[in-house]
């Protein structure tokens, strides 16, 4: 017969903290369209104000009103104790 191996996993606590030295990035993609999305993309920007300006310009040129926004930041894992 086979042998049984048992594993015991303990819980490990950590905290994800935003890296204060990292610059966040913001990006938007136009998702306006009935059969197909426009898919125009802003590219990475470093402030929400820059992104809003891009959206306003694209909206003024095309009349498109729906956008998917992505915000990226770098976080550090600060380990805690094993439980």
């Amino acid at each position: 017969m086979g042998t049984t191996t048992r594993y015991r996993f303990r819980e490990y606590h950590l905290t994800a903290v935003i890296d204060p030295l990292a610059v966040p990035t913001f990006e938007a993609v136009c998702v306006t369209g009935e059969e197909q999305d426009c898919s125009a993309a802003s590219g990475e920007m470093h402030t929400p104000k820059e992104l809003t300006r891009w959206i306003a310009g694209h909206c003024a040129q095309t009349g498109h009103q729906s956008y998917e926004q992505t915000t990226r930041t770098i976080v550090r894992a600060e380990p805690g104790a094993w439980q």
Side-chain angles (χ1 to χ4, degrees), residues 49-64:
K49 193 173 188 175
E50 285 179 298
L51 185 63
T52 300
R53 194 175 304 124
W54 180 86
I55 291 171
H58 185 72
C59 181
Q61 290 175 352
T62 63
H64 295 171

Side-chain angles (χ1 to χ4, degrees), residues 25-37:
T25 59
F26 305 88
E27 188 171 4
V29 176
C30 180
V31 293
T32 304
E34 291 183 21
E35 292 183 22
Q36 183 176 350
D37 291 344

Side-chain angles (χ1 to χ4, degrees), residues 1-78:
M1 298 240 138
T3 55
T4 302
T5 305
R6 293 185 184 192
Y7 296 96
R8 181 176 174 197
F9 295 100
R10 297 184 295 173
E11 191 172 332
Y12 185 67
H13 292 276
L14 67 87
T15 304
V17 179
I18 294 174
D19 186 340
L21 300 177
V23 177
T25 59
F26 305 88
E27 188 171 4
V29 176
C30 180
V31 293
T32 304
E34 291 183 21
E35 292 183 22
Q36 183 176 350
D37 291 344
C38 166
S39 298
S42 66
E44 288 187 353
M45 300 189 172
H46 295 290
T47 66
K49 193 173 188 175
E50 285 179 298
L51 185 63
T52 300
R53 194 175 304 124
W54 180 86
I55 291 171
H58 185 72
C59 181
Q61 290 175 352
T62 63
H64 295 171
Q65 296 180 340
S66 297
Y67 299 85
E68 179 181 274
Q69 179 178 322
T70 304
T71 303
R72 293 187 185 103
T73 58
I74 294 176
V75 295
R76 288 187 332 226
E78 292 188 350

